[in-house]
Amino acid sequence: MGRFLVVILLASAALGGAGMWYLQVYGYYDTLPEQDSIALTYAGDTTPTEVPVTGFEGIDAISSPIRFRACFTLAEPADFAPYDNATPLNAPGWFDCFDAAAIGAALDNGSAQAVTAQANITYGIDRVAAIFPDGRGFAWHQINACGTAHFDGDPVPPGCPPPPQRTE
């Protein structure tokens, strides 16, 4: 009887772990439809503009505002608003066009430029893009300073838009 209970307990743990892994890696992500443009902010501007792209691949999830990832190629080069402290976030392994480590290394060594795609796409979250000289682009969502303070329950820094009202 004891062995039977141990087998049931181990099987339940294995199924639960497998289910949790599946949900984190596959279950909550949606593949975005192909797009012929992406919003990017030009240098000297604060409002994003739809910029033509080709080869768009993207994923997103409603479970978190920072799960967005996209890969694309710009139709023509342009001068976009720089973004400080860009840190590409890992994508699921099956979304193989987005390699956060390679993008981060390119940003660090200057072979790619971090640009603002859209500031505060949702409160405290910016859409950031890395643009390579050959026109390849990669985009992700990143928590900004306003979001970091707000999500930690601290007062937001000067210059931040008013935070949304918390609902209990």
Side-chain angles (χ1 to χ4, degrees):
M1 182 64 155
R3 286 186 183 148
F4 177 72
L5 291 175
V6 168
V7 168
I8 294 294
L9 183 62
L10 290 175
S12 297
L15 286 173
M20 190 179 312
W21 171 81
Y22 175 81
L23 290 174
Q24 286 296 317
V25 175
Y26 296 99
Y28 291 111
Y29 283 99
D30 293 318
T31 301
L32 299 174
E34 174 128 2
Q35 300 176 16
D36 58 2
S37 67
I38 189 167
L40 296 171
T41 303
Y42 286 104
D45 205 350
T46 57
T47 306
T49 302
E50 291 293 323
V51 176
V53 298
T54 59
F56 179 90
E57 294 180 57
I59 57 173
D60 203 356
I62 61 170
S63 62
S64 171
I66 60 171
R67 288 194 170 201
F68 173 85
R69 305 287 185 282
C71 308
F72 55 89
T73 302
L74 291 172
E76 54 188 63
D79 188 22
F80 299 107
Y83 190 90
D84 293 330
N85 302 318
T87 306
L89 303 175
N90 290 327
W94 55 266
F95 189 63
D96 54 3
C97 74
F98 193 96
D99 182 349
I103 297 165
L107 291 172
D108 288 343
N109 70 27
S111 60
Q113 178 191 13
V115 301
T116 302
Q118 186 171 354
N120 283 306
I121 195 155
T122 187
Y123 188 85
I125 308 293
D126 294 336
R127 182 171 286 175
V128 181
I131 306 296
F132 285 76
D134 63 2
R136 288 178 301 131
F138 304 90
W140 65 94
H141 286 179
Q142 183 170 318
I143 299 173
N144 60 31
C146 302
T148 299
H150 177 67
F151 302 141
D152 287 344
D154 297 332
V156 296
C160 290
Q165 296 297 321
R166 292 183 187 253
T167 56
E168 300 300 321

